[in-house]
Amino acid sequence: MSEPRPRVLIVDDLEDNLDLLARRLERKGYAVSVASSGPDALALVDARPLELVILDVMMPGMSGLEVLERIRETRGPQELPVIMATAKGDSSDVVEALDKGANDYVVKPIDLDVLIARMRAALRAVVRAPAPPETEIVAGHQLDGKYALGERLGVGGFGTVYRATHVALRNPVAVKILHEHLLGSQQAIRRFAQEGVSACRVRHPNAVAILDAGTTWDGLPYLVMELLSGPTLQQELERERVLRLARAAEIASPLCAALDAAHREGIVHRDVKPANVMLARDATGVEVVKVLDFGIAKLLEPSPDAPATVDEIAGTPQYMAPERLLGERSDGRSDIYSVGVTLYTMLTGALPFTYQSDNVLVQALQQLRSTPRPLGVLRPDLPDDLVAAVMAALDREPQQRPSLLTLAGVVAEHAQTFEEPVWPPEVAAERSLAFDVTETGALVPRREPGSTRAERPAPRPESGTVAKRGDDGEGGDRDGGAGEANGR
């Protein structure tokens, strides 16, 4: 017995467009209804059990945005997805549509392959909404008879992390079980089983060690990693807000070295951000920077042969290169962009783009049509060469970005000679900021009158620190549990 055909409504006031798209989608296996006006569309939405609507923005009388508002009065985005079609060059109408509850958009003339990819993504969301509860995994369970699970250390966007013990060797490890909703097909599960260890394992002292991979008793993929202790860079930034250049260099050098090693092995991280940089401690208490979640973003994305949609791209948009936001093919240079955003954030306490939205599509559109705030405006005290290197890493064109080792070298060189501003680890209530804010919104590092020396940096967290759990506020994927969470 064949699968029922998805029921789609196309709304467009141009009859030729309507007829052509309807026939093309019918040939692709969709059951298509059509409407040439807003009122007709609303009548069909009320009368027929539809699964998706393709809605033209610009229509006479009742516009597509008005139709969308009426639909959202009774049907939510997961109940009835709406994809907006627009011929306008300005993306403001798209942003408005997404804010009003549209699931996605396409630009006219419509590329059928792109439209179908976005339709499939929207229909998958309907199938799993409301999402069934994921399998409950409790302490004491064993995976493959090899790993005994202990306490849950944290939950992030990619998976849930548990403390575990290798049954035979009695070694402590961390186990990350990937979220069920990220694996929307058997193809994705097979891909993880085939590529999991090789795609995520980077042989470098500053990359988290991947020890094993497998599947749970009900088919969920998992990774076994070294168990680490310490906070993430995200948690240090939440505490300190802005880092000294010397401290930023301490983190940037091993971060760039680990990514460079991965790129030489053909592995692109695709989700570099502070939450995936761990400030771990070794057995002697010495800090070791560890980069987490290598390769997972690639394994969770569609096949390279399929057009990607923004909501199918795994990662955090605020740290994502333009080519990644556009769903284009990307390489290691997209990681360089993400390192540039991370450096910018460490040195300013802010993101390069002021606009922030929880909607991934809106965030991506705003970043693609904007330019990052110049680092030198927020930190006029920093050396010009350093500012130029960080801003070059944020260049829209991948070929204009410096190499990772060049970027790290510039940061390290200036960190050795730069005269740090006063950075009191403990400040009086009336001087709770290490920066003054100018009339233009720039952060100017505060120096004590007559001071020529930088004060000692704030003390580092003690080994074994367990940081607070919770959302990182960036659409990111913190596992909480700091070092023992081993990955975001």
Side-chain angles (χ1 to χ4, degrees):
M1 184 174 179
S2 61
E3 291 287 327
R5 298 195 298 166
R7 297 178 295 272
V8 177
L9 171 63
I10 307 173
V11 186
D12 195 319
D13 62 298
L14 298 179
E15 296 289 346
D16 289 343
N17 290 350
L18 203 61
D19 180 64
L20 176 62
L21 184 57
R23 285 189 285 109
R24 295 174 75 187
L25 289 180
E26 285 279 2
R27 287 198 295 269
K28 293 292 185 178
Y30 294 90
V32 180
S33 301
V34 297
S36 57
S37 69
D40 289 347
L42 293 174
L44 287 173
V45 168
D46 289 338
R48 297 184 182 179
L50 299 169
E51 295 173 71
L52 185 141
V53 177
I54 302 169
L55 178 59
D56 188 23
V57 172
M58 300 298 295
M59 295 190 297
M62 180 180 287
S63 71
L65 293 176
E66 292 174 298
V67 175
L68 174 63
E69 286 184 308
R70 291 282 298 275
I71 291 174
R72 288 293 174 252
E73 289 176 1
T74 57
R75 310 281 291 276
Q78 288 187 317
E79 185 180 0
L80 181 60
V82 176
I83 297 176
M84 306 301 294
T86 175
K88 295 180 68 173
D90 185 7
S91 60
S92 59
D93 57 325
V94 177
V95 173
E96 184 179 1
L98 293 168
D99 283 337
K100 291 180 182 296
N103 296 68
D104 209 334
Y105 75 99
V106 290
V107 177
K108 294 181 177 180
I110 294 173
D111 183 313
L112 186 63
D113 289 337
V114 171
L115 173 62
I116 289 176
R118 299 188 175 198
M119 290 170 64
R120 287 173 177 166
L123 289 168
R124 282 198 299 271
V126 172
V127 170
R128 62 173 186 263
E134 295 191 355
T135 305
E136 183 179 2
I137 300 173
V138 298
H141 278 296
Q142 287 193 8
L143 300 181
D144 294 342
K146 295 189 293 185
Y147 304 103
L149 295 184
E151 64 176 315
R152 188 178 74 175
L153 297 173
V155 180
F158 283 160
T160 303
V161 180
Y162 298 86
R163 180 190 295 273
T165 302
H166 192 289
V167 174
L169 302 178
R170 308 306 300 169
N171 290 337
V173 294
V175 173
K176 172 173 285 189
I177 299 177
L178 298 195
H179 291 318
E180 187 174 0
H181 70 268
L182 294 175
L183 300 160
S185 68
Q186 288 300 312
Q187 179 187 15
I189 294 175
R190 286 195 302 270
R191 187 178 177 193
F192 187 92
Q194 294 165 0
E195 304 179 25
V197 173
S198 61
C200 302
R201 177 178 287 165
V202 176
R203 294 169 178 83
H204 192 275
N206 296 111
V208 64
I210 304 297
L211 309 175
D212 195 4
T215 56
T216 66
W217 49 89
D218 54 352
L220 294 181
Y222 67 84
L223 287 172
V224 181
M225 304 168 286
E226 61 177 322
L227 182 66
L228 302 172
S229 179
T232 64
L233 173 57
Q234 177 66 34
Q235 290 157 348
E236 179 160 322
L237 286 170
E238 288 172 356
R239 184 180 67 249
E240 302 293 340
R241 183 185 176 197
V242 181
L243 302 187
R244 293 170 172 269
L245 177 55
R247 177 60 175 151
E250 290 177 353
I251 297 169
S253 292
L255 168 62
C256 290
L259 290 169
D260 181 69
H263 294 172
R264 283 187 275 109
E265 293 183 29
I267 298 173
V268 180
H269 192 290
R270 289 176 167 80
D271 194 25
V272 177
K273 60 184 177 183
N276 276 336
V277 179
M278 192 167 200
L279 311 177
R281 296 277 174 176
D282 65 16
T284 66
V286 175
E287 181 178 272
V288 181
V289 174
K290 292 279 189 176
V291 185
L292 313 173
D293 281 356
F294 273 103
I296 294 182
K298 176 186 177 182
L299 291 173
L300 297 180
E301 287 183 10
S303 166
D305 297 329
T309 66
V310 171
D311 59 330
E312 288 180 313
I313 296 174
T316 306
Q318 287 86 348
Y319 292 86
M320 202 176 288
E323 61 270 23
R324 296 260 298 132
L325 291 173
L326 290 168
E328 298 173 350
R329 292 182 182 275
S330 59
D331 54 25
R333 292 172 294 187
S334 65
D335 284 347
I336 298 172
Y337 183 97
S338 302
V339 171
V341 179
T342 300
L343 272 168
Y344 188 108
T345 304
M346 286 194 282
L347 295 171
T348 67
L351 289 163
F353 296 95
T354 56
Y355 186 90
Q356 299 299 315
S357 173
D358 292 333
N359 187 308
V360 174
L361 289 169
V362 172
Q363 183 67 42
L365 282 168
Q366 291 290 352
Q367 289 181 204
L368 289 170
R369 70 178 190 177
S370 305
T371 56
R373 291 179 293 175
L375 173 60
V377 172
L378 297 183
R379 288 292 306 271
D381 63 307
L382 291 174
D384 292 342
D385 289 350
L386 171 64
V387 169
V390 175
M391 294 306 295
L394 301 180
D395 198 289
R396 191 175 293 267
E397 298 299 328
Q399 62 270 23
Q400 299 300 321
R401 298 168 197 158
S403 71
L404 286 165
L405 298 185
T406 297
L407 181 60
V410 172
V411 175
E413 178 183 356
H414 285 290
Q416 293 176 358
T417 58
F418 181 62
E419 183 183 349
E420 296 277 7
V422 169
W423 223 282
E426 296 181 7
V427 294
E430 66 272 18
R431 296 195 55 208
S432 59
L433 295 178
F435 281 78
D436 292 315
V437 182
T438 69
E439 292 182 356
T440 62
L443 298 177
V444 180
R446 180 182 296 129
R447 298 177 187 270
E448 293 290 355
S451 174
T452 59
R453 295 176 55 193
E455 296 189 8
R456 293 176 62 190
R460 307 279 168 76
E462 295 298 324
S463 178
T465 297
V466 177
K468 62 183 179 181
R469 292 179 170 87
D471 183 24
D472 63 13
E474 298 176 347
D477 41 347
R478 176 195 306 169
D479 280 327
E484 297 177 340
N486 270 48
R488 306 304 107 191

